[in-house]
Each structure stands twice: as C-alpha cells, then as structure tokens.
Amino acid sequence: MISYILRLFLCVLFLQMSQLYGQHTFRFSDIKHHVGIGYNLGASAPFSLPSTIREIKSYSPLFTPSIGYEATYDLSQRWLVGAGLRFDIKGMKVTDSVQYFHTIITVDNGSGDRGTFEGDFSGTNATTAKISYLTLPMFAGYRFGTWNLKLGLYVARLIHGRFDGSVSNGYIRKGDSLGEKVLIDRATFDFAEKIRSWDWGGHIALGRNFGQHWQANLTAQVGAQPIFPPSFKGVGYELHNMYVTLGAAYHLW
C-alpha cells in the first residue's frame, strides 16, 4: 500500500514536471554538476515494531558513508529535475529481547558438529547488518530562497551484503511456537546470501545553500521493497532499508 501511494504521488509530480519541460527550451548551460559526501544513519527494520520484539536493548550505527555525483537541470527559476549516482553503505548493529521470533540458527555442540534449526526463538538476539549499494536517485525539486526541496525515487544495486549475528540465553521451539523446545546457550546465523540484489524506494531531501558552491543536505530514504524475498523464512517479518543521510555537496560548475 505504501509503495502504491508513493508511486502514484511521484507519477503525478513528474507529469507536472514534464508539462513544465514541454514549455522549456533545453540548454546545456542549465545543467549543474555536484559531488557530495554523507553519512547514512538508520536501520534495516520493519515499518512497525512486531510483537515478537519485546525490548530494544542497544542500537549502534556503523561506518556507513555515502559518496556520489549529482546533476540537476533547471526548468525554471524555481523548478528543477535531476539524477545522480552514489556509492552507499547502509548498516546498523542492534541487540533486542525477542519472544517466539521465527528464525533459522546454526548450533555448534563444541565437538565440530553443527546443526541447523528453524523455529521460534525466545531470548536475546544480536544482529549486524552492513549492505553496500550502487544507487541511482531520480528526483524533482523546488527552490525557495536559499533552500530547496527534492522528492523522488531511487533504484539500488547490491554490491556486497552482510547480515549476521547470534541468539543466546534462550530456547527455540522447532518449526513453530508449539514445537519441541531446545535450550540455546548461544547459536549463530548468517543471511548475507539471501539479501536481494536490488532495492528501490522513495526519498525526500531538504538542502540549504551556503554561498555559490556549498550545500548542506538532509535526505530521508525508505525502501519500498523488503531486503529479503518473501520465500525466505530466516526473519519472521519484512525488513526495509530506512535511513537518513546527513551530507554536504559541492557545486563544480
């Protein structure tokens, strides 16, 4: 539902932009080029906190930079369109208390024998996610004074993904919450190979110009597509990339 509303709203916006463009004579001199750097802060998380998560014990951001290039084209003194290419790292480390959290874990009995269990785990869950993307943002923008507002879509290709962690101090019920109870001192999981190759969603950015060359930006990105496919049962709910980017850009020419 959220992705449908987002796409509908952006279609209307870009239709209005195309009408403006139809009244505009294209000039290469109206293209502006920028390079930027930023820091992504957020999480790969569900849109709302599920009942299986009872308490967030800790959250830590990781080193998650964003580096890229952006070109904008002026349709008028107020309106603009643009696109870019960015290298993005998105990630976080979180520890939470869960109850009947559906997952797939690997247990080592200490003698080298490893067993895999799928079921509902209760106890402590610690997860580290760090995912690298090559991102193509596309947007329409509006200027008011030294400020500008941009709204658009992004498409991202996975470069490298990490999603692993451990469960401890609890138990897992095999299959579901009514299955056989197995005590877990500590077990691990690694779902990196299950991360989708593509991510897409919407973004909104607010920027302020400082002089002719510098601009500070605050960008919110929300992934419309879950990072894992529906067939994957290692996480009992959908996870979406939801991040805010604090950044600065330099106007080249």
Side-chain angles (χ1 to χ4, degrees):
M1 183 63 180
I2 293 176
S3 62
Y4 173 78
I5 295 173
L6 178 65
R7 281 179 287 179
L8 180 62
F9 180 77
L10 289 171
C11 284
V12 173
L13 178 63
F14 278 99
L15 179 62
Q16 293 177 341
M17 293 297 99
S18 65
Q19 291 175 347
L20 278 174
Y21 181 74
Q23 304 169 3
H24 181 84
T25 301
F26 178 81
R27 296 188 299 269
F28 279 102
S29 60
D30 290 333
I31 300 178
K32 295 181 173 63
H33 305 268
H34 309 261
V35 291
I37 188 169
Y39 177 75
N40 293 318
L41 181 65
S44 300
F47 284 141
S48 60
L49 200 64
S51 60
T52 54
I53 299 179
R54 296 307 176 93
E55 178 188 1
I56 304 295
K57 293 185 174 182
S58 67
Y59 165 85
S60 301
L62 303 177
F63 179 63
T64 49
S66 174
I67 304 170
Y69 161 81
E70 182 179 282
T72 61
Y73 181 76
D74 293 339
L75 297 175
S76 68
Q77 289 185 343
R78 297 285 187 180
W79 291 97
L80 60 100
V81 293
L85 190 64
R86 293 197 312 265
F87 172 71
D88 274 322
I89 299 179
K90 299 177 178 180
M92 50 88 191
K93 186 175 183 179
V94 63
T95 301
D96 47 27
S97 177
V98 298
Q99 185 170 17
Y100 297 127
F101 166 68
H102 195 85
T103 188
I104 301 171
I105 61 174
T106 300
V107 179
D108 191 335
N109 64 8
S111 61
D113 295 329
R114 299 168 66 87
T116 299
F117 295 91
E118 178 178 351
D120 292 350
F121 175 79
S122 298
T124 300
N125 170 66
T127 299
T128 298
K130 194 169 186 179
I131 310 174
S132 303
Y133 292 103
L134 190 63
T135 304
L136 172 66
M138 300 162 286
F139 56 85
Y142 182 78
R143 296 190 184 94
F144 46 102
T146 59
W147 296 84
N148 62 75
L149 182 68
K150 300 173 185 176
L151 181 66
L153 293 171
Y154 74 86
V155 178
R157 171 66 178 179
L158 177 68
I159 298 175
H160 179 266
R162 176 187 175 186
F163 194 100
D164 55 47
S166 64
V167 295
S168 59
N169 302 321
Y171 61 89
I172 190 170
R173 289 193 178 274
K174 293 184 180 180
D176 55 36
S177 58
L178 300 178
E180 177 188 353
K181 182 177 180 180
V182 178
L183 296 178
I184 301 295
D185 180 43
R186 186 181 184 277
T188 60
F189 58 86
D190 188 344
F191 304 146
E193 293 183 358
K194 302 298 182 180
I195 299 173
R196 274 178 158 152
S197 298
W198 293 93
D199 181 36
W200 71 272
H203 63 97
I204 183 170
L206 182 65
R208 188 181 190 281
N209 295 321
F210 293 91
Q212 294 184 345
H213 292 281
W214 288 100
Q215 183 180 94
N217 298 296
L218 178 66
T219 305
Q221 308 171 56
V222 178
Q225 176 174 258
I227 67 172
F228 294 115
S231 59
F232 177 61
K233 304 303 181 183
V235 180
Y237 40 77
E238 294 183 346
L239 299 177
H240 298 259
N241 285 322
M242 295 182 284
Y243 287 84
V244 172
T245 306
L246 308 173
Y250 183 79
H251 177 204
L252 296 173
W253 70 86

